[in-house]
Structure formats: structure tokens, C-alpha cells
Amino acid sequence: MNISTQTMTEIYEAIKTPYKVGAVIKQNNHLTDSPSVFRWCGKWYMYYIMIDKNAENSGYETHLASSDNLVDWQYEGRVFARTDSEGWDSKQIAGYAAFSDLHFGGSNQLLSVNGKYYISYLGGNLNGYETDPLSMGLAYSDSPISPFTKFEKPILSPFDADAREFERVTLYKSNLFVDEAMTQGHRYVNVYNAKATDTKERIYLAVSDDAEHWVRYLDKPILDETTTIPNLLISGDPQIVKIGDIYVMFFFRFQGDAGGYNTFACSYNLVDWTVWDGEPLVKAQYEWENIIAHKSWVIKHEDTVYHYYCAVNDKDERFIALATSKEILR
């Protein structure tokens, strides 16, 4: 079921963030990427990933930062580190917050599921920047800021027998959430992007009834723009929130030389999506982000929307930046 133009415009007005704050997490010798923000025990936390600028001999690791105001962030430590083992996730381990409060403007807390807190991650055992193949892992802890215990094997992999046509090379960012409405008959849902041999990325669904064992849902992507948008290479890094009875999916597009930007789509059922065709939510505007502005994590707290994203410039810098719905002075 398509969502009306009027409703899409109303959603856009509710989530737009025209004010750029600038960098909030930036490292001189590393590239920082893929923020996911949540509330815990009266404080804000962010998982994010980092890789050495000499990526050929490096790989993703996951880190943690904290904040009292969602703008100024302090480093707390490493969540996942690379190892010298031969394990499937020994050289790449990029984590993302799982089972966050789905309601936009809600608590922004991570939800306890099975008496645990989970984090999903992209994993691989080869050095380099997102070197194929990559699979999807899961880990759990007594709290979202305590050490995590990883599951021994991936929960989803491009080598699975049921891997779909366009996800048989690499699985990227996953966003696991609790669907209280059980719209497609399952309480736990996983939305993620994956790459095919054509190097293009599309967005897929998986589902679970226990939050730990996952199966693919449908035999095709829920979002595939490769045939409708010229030179589109990626629809990726989805995040789902809910506004009323509408699921809103934040994601980014990358169109080669045209660059990358963040936009959104809406759905009543998690399967049929109406994609916003207006102004991007975040795009490259300033010298400090003059190549790409992409990979979003969006929350609403009190009366302000905070849109965290990855900014890339021609000075070999990649860092986490922030745009907001209201002007914030630092």
C-alpha cells in the first residue's frame, strides 16, 4: 500500500534536520563511521566503528562514547577489538545497537530481550576496508556498556544455502528491532543491506521468534532501486523507527560520481515502501563534508531531532557529524 504524498511530506517535516552542527567524533589517524545512539541509566551512549587510515593493514573495530547533551561526546573505550585468531570475525568487527525503542521521540533506550542486551555486527577475517566476504554476527551482555559475549557463528552469511540472489557476496549493517505489532507475524525483525556480484547493494529483511535464530524473509529485497535510479550503486545502512502506525526507514543512497546522501522511505507493513522523492535529509553542503554525507542514525529527544551521520571530505577525513532540527550553538 502506497503512502500518500501528503503523509510523506508530513513525515519529512517531522524528521528534517536542516542545521549542521559539524563533527562530533573525529580522529586524526583513524576513520570513524556508522554511529548508533541510545539512552542508558540517565546518559547517552554511542556505538561507532573505527578503522586506521592505512586500511590495507587494518579493519573495523567497535568503540563506545558517552554524552550528557547529545552534542559533546567523550570516549569510553573499545567494545570489540580485532584479534590474531583465525576466527570468522577476527579482522573486522563493526557493531550496531540492537533492539532500541522503536518509537520516534520515545525513550531511546535499548530494550532487554531474553534478559539480555544485544549488539549485532558486521564481521570478517580479512584486513582492509570492508573486504569481502562479510557476515552478520550477534553478541549479548548483562548491560549495553559491559563486555559482550559473541555467538560462535554468524547469524546470517552470504554463504547460507538460502542466501538470496543479490546477497551472496557480503552482508553489511544490520538494524535489529522489536516489532510489537508483529506486522509480518514475527516479533523480532532485522533490516540490513547486502551486496551482490554486480557490486550493487540492496536492503533485505530477516525475522526471528527468539531474537537469536534468524531466517530470511521474502525471496527478494524490500528496497531495490538499482533499476530505477541511474548509476545507483548502494541503498544501504537502514535504521527503522515508527511514527504513529508508519514505519520510517532512514537509509543512504550512493550514486558513484554523484556522491552519497541520506533519505528515507515509509511503510505500513515493512514490505511495501514508499520512498521520499524530495530533498535529502542530509547531503554534502560544506567544505568539511565535500565528498559524501551518509550513513544515518536519527533520534528525537524532547523537541529536537538529532541526525548523526558519516561525513567524508577530500582531506582524507571520515568522521561522525551531526545535523539537528533546531539550531544548536557550541
PDB file of all heavy atoms in Angstrom, residues 42 65 96 186 229 233 308 320 329:
ATOM      1  N   GLY A  42      20.324   7.172  32.428  1.00  0.00           N
ATOM      2  CA  GLY A  42      20.393   8.623  32.510  1.00  0.00           C
ATOM      3  C   GLY A  42      21.479   9.274  31.684  1.00  0.00           C
ATOM      4  O   GLY A  42      21.712  10.485  31.804  1.00  0.00           O
ATOM      5  N   ALA A  65      31.240   5.801  23.050  1.00  0.00           N
ATOM      6  CA  ALA A  65      31.367   7.164  23.571  1.00  0.00           C
ATOM      7  C   ALA A  65      30.126   7.499  24.369  1.00  0.00           C
ATOM      8  O   ALA A  65      29.078   6.856  24.218  1.00  0.00           O
ATOM      9  CB  ALA A  65      31.553   8.162  22.424  1.00  0.00           C
ATOM     10  N   TYR A  96      26.567  -2.528  15.936  1.00  0.00           N
ATOM     11  CA  TYR A  96      25.431  -1.615  15.833  1.00  0.00           C
ATOM     12  C   TYR A  96      24.426  -1.925  16.947  1.00  0.00           C
ATOM     13  O   TYR A  96      24.137  -3.088  17.239  1.00  0.00           O
ATOM     14  CB  TYR A  96      24.741  -1.780  14.475  1.00  0.00           C
ATOM     15  CG  TYR A  96      25.689  -1.858  13.310  1.00  0.00           C
ATOM     16  CD1 TYR A  96      25.992  -3.080  12.716  1.00  0.00           C
ATOM     17  CD2 TYR A  96      26.317  -0.708  12.826  1.00  0.00           C
ATOM     18  CE1 TYR A  96      26.874  -3.158  11.655  1.00  0.00           C
ATOM     19  CE2 TYR A  96      27.202  -0.782  11.756  1.00  0.00           C
ATOM     20  CZ  TYR A  96      27.486  -2.007  11.183  1.00  0.00           C
ATOM     21  OH  TYR A  96      28.365  -2.086  10.137  1.00  0.00           O
ATOM     22  N   HIS A 186       6.097 -11.886  13.084  1.00  0.00           N
ATOM     23  CA  HIS A 186       7.275 -12.173  13.901  1.00  0.00           C
ATOM     24  C   HIS A 186       7.585 -10.973  14.787  1.00  0.00           C
ATOM     25  O   HIS A 186       7.484  -9.821  14.357  1.00  0.00           O
ATOM     26  CB  HIS A 186       8.474 -12.502  13.024  1.00  0.00           C
ATOM     27  CG  HIS A 186       8.238 -13.670  12.120  1.00  0.00           C
ATOM     28  ND1 HIS A 186       8.472 -14.973  12.499  1.00  0.00           N
ATOM     29  CD2 HIS A 186       7.765 -13.720  10.849  1.00  0.00           C
ATOM     30  CE1 HIS A 186       8.161 -15.787  11.507  1.00  0.00           C
ATOM     31  NE2 HIS A 186       7.732 -15.040  10.482  1.00  0.00           N
ATOM     32  N   ILE A 229      17.008   4.154 -10.508  1.00  0.00           N
ATOM     33  CA  ILE A 229      17.813   5.366 -10.317  1.00  0.00           C
ATOM     34  C   ILE A 229      19.119   5.224 -11.081  1.00  0.00           C
ATOM     35  O   ILE A 229      19.882   4.282 -10.832  1.00  0.00           O
ATOM     36  CB  ILE A 229      18.094   5.617  -8.821  1.00  0.00           C
ATOM     37  CG1 ILE A 229      16.777   5.826  -8.072  1.00  0.00           C
ATOM     38  CG2 ILE A 229      19.010   6.820  -8.627  1.00  0.00           C
ATOM     39  CD1 ILE A 229      16.936   6.039  -6.584  1.00  0.00           C
ATOM     40  N   LEU A 233      24.512   2.733  -6.959  1.00  0.00           N
ATOM     41  CA  LEU A 233      25.306   1.596  -6.527  1.00  0.00           C
ATOM     42  C   LEU A 233      24.835   1.035  -5.186  1.00  0.00           C
ATOM     43  O   LEU A 233      24.939  -0.157  -4.943  1.00  0.00           O
ATOM     44  CB  LEU A 233      26.785   1.995  -6.416  1.00  0.00           C
ATOM     45  CG  LEU A 233      27.443   2.449  -7.716  1.00  0.00           C
ATOM     46  CD1 LEU A 233      28.879   2.882  -7.449  1.00  0.00           C
ATOM     47  CD2 LEU A 233      27.414   1.336  -8.750  1.00  0.00           C
ATOM     48  N   TYR A 308      22.668  11.879  13.253  1.00  0.00           N
ATOM     49  CA  TYR A 308      24.103  11.591  13.212  1.00  0.00           C
ATOM     50  C   TYR A 308      24.415  10.921  11.879  1.00  0.00           C
ATOM     51  O   TYR A 308      23.636  10.105  11.384  1.00  0.00           O
ATOM     52  CB  TYR A 308      24.491  10.676  14.367  1.00  0.00           C
ATOM     53  CG  TYR A 308      24.231  11.286  15.722  1.00  0.00           C
ATOM     54  CD1 TYR A 308      23.001  11.108  16.354  1.00  0.00           C
ATOM     55  CD2 TYR A 308      25.195  12.060  16.358  1.00  0.00           C
ATOM     56  CE1 TYR A 308      22.745  11.683  17.591  1.00  0.00           C
ATOM     57  CE2 TYR A 308      24.947  12.638  17.595  1.00  0.00           C
ATOM     58  CZ  TYR A 308      23.716  12.445  18.195  1.00  0.00           C
ATOM     59  OH  TYR A 308      23.463  13.030  19.419  1.00  0.00           O
ATOM     60  N   ILE A 320      32.209  11.324  12.307  1.00  0.00           N
ATOM     61  CA  ILE A 320      30.792  11.367  12.647  1.00  0.00           C
ATOM     62  C   ILE A 320      30.380  12.813  12.891  1.00  0.00           C
ATOM     63  O   ILE A 320      30.978  13.511  13.724  1.00  0.00           O
ATOM     64  CB  ILE A 320      30.503  10.485  13.873  1.00  0.00           C
ATOM     65  CG1 ILE A 320      30.794   9.026  13.505  1.00  0.00           C
ATOM     66  CG2 ILE A 320      29.044  10.640  14.314  1.00  0.00           C
ATOM     67  CD1 ILE A 320      30.822   8.090  14.676  1.00  0.00           C
ATOM     68  N   LEU A 329      24.040  26.010  19.271  1.00  0.00           N
ATOM     69  CA  LEU A 329      25.314  26.725  19.348  1.00  0.00           C
ATOM     70  C   LEU A 329      26.268  25.981  20.253  1.00  0.00           C
ATOM     71  O   LEU A 329      25.896  25.546  21.342  1.00  0.00           O
ATOM     72  CB  LEU A 329      25.087  28.167  19.865  1.00  0.00           C
ATOM     73  CG  LEU A 329      24.139  29.023  19.030  1.00  0.00           C
ATOM     74  CD1 LEU A 329      23.953  30.394  19.679  1.00  0.00           C
ATOM     75  CD2 LEU A 329      24.665  29.174  17.599  1.00  0.00           C
TER      76      LEU A 329
END
